[in-house]
């Protein structure tokens, strides 16, 4: 089958290739990929940023989001049958959605939301799962709490705004002036044009900040939290909890703790908390999220679509910073 594989780690390491179709295990479903989407995680994995923790053996197929049709099921599969339309974020070490077919553990798969096109469904899994796990599991956001979402027009930010509003939160976001109408339509109560305003001078007393930029932006984000508030970083630095989540040996926990020492010290001084976030696959949560999409509480935001043979161009477009809003989708239809 045709696929895009990481032949070696690095910016030039992804290439088109002919590879064997995946084997279907007892609890797997084979999915014919109809669409996939690009996430920042694809670039990070391609570049080897997690190679000490996520031990992929090159060459391997890249891609973390998929929507498609089930073509085979393993002997132990009970919830899916051939012909079912599904969407998924395959678990780590079993990724590979930039391909014509992928075998996925059925527990990572959910029925495609009926209201979404296959391209829209492919844009959803990773960012929707991340939003759910951040807001519902980690932060346990309650009605009336205040949430600041950086980069609100992005794939993750646009999803977090919507889910936070659905949970009853008061939501502020950073965006460009050109994106203001979009993020307000998604539910943002406060929009800060980061090209003209310093968000730390505009908002304060927040319960939660979601930072996808890292560095100084993360450190500044700590200052807008109320005492005991939580800053969650998806761009790093990783902490010991990340190593624990991946089941890494004790030495890696020490390394992760060292990498996050500056931001953790700053948080402690301010009486607030910092946590790194790395999402996990969950078909059960995708079922719940699918119901929210079908009920109209959430909607995907798509920037553009590329044909499958233009996957390298699609990834380059995302890396160029030219994406105006939402996700970039690769289509095989």
């Amino acid at each position: 089958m045709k696929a895009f594989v990481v032949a070696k780690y690095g910016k030039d390491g992804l290439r088109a290739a002919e590879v064997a179709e995946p084997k279907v295990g007892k609890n797997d479903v084979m999915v014919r990929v109809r669409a996939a989407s690009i996430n920042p995680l694809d670039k990070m994995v391609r570049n080897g940023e997690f190679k000490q923790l996520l031990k992929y053996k090159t060459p391997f197929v890249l891609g973390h989001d998929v929507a498609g049709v089930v073509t085979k099921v393993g002997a132990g599969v009970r919830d899916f049958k051939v012909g079912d339309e599904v969407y998924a974020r395959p678990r780590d070490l079993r990724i590979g959605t930039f391909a014509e077919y992928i075998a996925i553990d059925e527990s990572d798969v959910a029925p495609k939301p009926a209201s979404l096109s296959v391209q829209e469904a492919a844009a959803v899994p990773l960012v929707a799962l991340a939003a759910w796990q951040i807001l519902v599991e980690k932060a346990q956001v309650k009605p009336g709490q205040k949430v600041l979402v950086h980069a609100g027009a992005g794939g993750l930010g646009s999803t977090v705004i919507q889910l936070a509003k659905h949970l009853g939160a008061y939501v502020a976001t950073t965006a460009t002036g050109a994106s203001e109408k979009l993020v307000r339509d998604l539910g943002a109560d406060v929009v800060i044009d980061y090209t003209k305003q310093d968000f730390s001078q505009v908002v304060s007393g927040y319960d939660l900040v979601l930072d996808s930029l890292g560095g100084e932006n993360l450190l500044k984000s700590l200052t807008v939290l109320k005492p005991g508030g939580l800053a969650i970083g998806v761009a790093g630095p990783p902490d010991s909890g990340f190593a624990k989540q991946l089941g890494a040996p004790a030495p890696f926990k020490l390394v992760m703790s060292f990498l996050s020492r500056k931001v953790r010290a700053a948080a402690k001084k301010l009486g607030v908390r910092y946590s790194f976030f790395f999402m996990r696959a969950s078909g059960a949560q995708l079922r719940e999220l699918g119901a929210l999409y079908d009920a109209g509480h959430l909607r995907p935001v798509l920037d553009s679509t590329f044909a499958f043979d233009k996957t390298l161009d699609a990834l380059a477009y995302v890396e160029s910073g030219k994406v105006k809003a939402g996700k970039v989708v690769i289509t095989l239809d």
Side-chain angles (χ1 to χ4, degrees):
M1 67 175 182
K2 295 178 182 178
F4 284 84
V5 304
V6 177
K8 61 179 181 179
Y9 286 119
K11 186 171 184 179
D12 300 322
L14 188 67
R15 61 176 176 83
E18 286 285 338
V19 301
E21 284 190 12
K23 295 180 180 178
V24 178
K26 178 182 178 182
N27 298 313
D28 293 345
V29 296
M30 177 80 90
V31 176
R32 177 173 67 83
V33 180
R34 294 184 61 199
S37 70
I38 294 177
N39 295 282
L41 184 57
D42 295 313
K43 180 190 77 171
M44 298 168 80
V45 169
R46 180 204 64 192
N47 291 350
E49 294 184 28
F50 298 124
K51 65 183 179 181
Q52 298 301 322
L53 292 169
L54 296 175
K55 295 187 179 297
Y56 292 103
K57 183 179 179 181
T58 56
F60 62 91
V61 183
L62 193 61
H64 291 81
D65 275 331
V66 63
V69 179
V70 175
T71 59
K72 297 178 185 176
V73 297
V77 173
R78 296 290 177 265
D79 293 335
F80 298 95
K81 64 183 184 304
V82 172
D84 284 349
E85 290 189 305
V86 296
Y87 75 145
R89 191 292 204 188
R91 66 188 58 184
D92 297 315
L93 302 180
R94 293 201 61 184
I95 64 169
T97 62
F98 296 166
E100 293 181 298
Y101 293 90
I102 181 173
I104 313 173
D105 189 294
E106 74 163 330
S107 63
D108 298 345
V109 179
K112 181 186 78 67
S115 62
L116 302 186
S117 70
V118 69
Q119 290 82 13
E120 290 172 328
V124 165
L126 187 149
V127 293
L129 286 169
W132 182 273
Q133 291 166 18
I134 288 167
L135 296 173
V136 176
E137 290 187 344
K138 206 170 184 76
Q140 298 179 3
V141 169
K142 303 292 191 298
Q145 289 190 316
K146 296 165 71 176
V147 176
L148 170 62
V149 183
H150 286 294
L156 177 59
S158 61
T159 310
V160 172
I161 289 172
Q162 295 176 77
L163 184 57
K165 286 302 295 183
H166 176 67
L167 295 171
Y170 181 84
V171 181
T173 190
T174 58
T176 63
S179 300
E180 180 172 357
K181 183 179 186 306
L182 170 66
V183 295
R184 286 199 182 277
D185 287 347
L186 295 174
D189 298 290
V190 177
V191 182
I192 303 159
D193 184 342
Y194 66 82
T195 67
K196 299 177 180 178
Q197 296 174 289
D198 180 345
F199 72 88
S200 66
Q201 302 302 309
V202 178
V203 298
S204 61
Y206 273 59
D207 298 276
L208 174 68
V209 177
L210 174 61
D211 175 76
S212 55
L213 303 172
E216 289 302 314
N217 195 80
L218 172 59
L219 291 172
K220 193 181 290 186
S221 294
L222 300 174
T223 68
V224 307
L225 291 168
K226 72 178 188 181
L230 175 64
I232 293 179
V234 297
D239 56 16
S240 59
F242 175 49
K244 182 179 180 182
Q245 178 183 335
L246 296 183
F252 281 104
K253 295 179 183 178
L254 294 175
V255 171
M256 298 296 106
S257 182
F258 179 78
L259 291 174
S260 59
R261 69 195 186 285
K262 181 179 178 181
V263 65
R264 288 187 296 105
K268 184 177 181 180
K269 187 175 181 180
L270 291 166
V272 299
R273 297 169 291 148
Y274 167 72
S275 179
F276 177 69
F277 174 80
F278 193 83
M279 60 78 58
R280 69 183 192 284
S282 173
Q285 290 180 356
L286 283 178
R287 287 176 183 268
E288 293 190 66
L289 286 157
L292 294 180
Y293 280 97
D294 283 340
H297 299 303
L298 303 177
R299 65 178 174 92
V301 178
L302 270 62
D303 177 273
S304 52
T305 60
F306 285 73
F308 178 58
D309 63 357
K310 300 295 185 183
T311 295
L312 295 179
D313 294 337
L315 192 57
Y317 172 65
V318 172
E319 290 187 79
S320 74
K322 295 178 181 178
V323 177
K324 294 180 176 64
K327 299 288 293 291
V328 171
V329 173
I330 298 161
T331 179
L332 281 78
D333 278 355

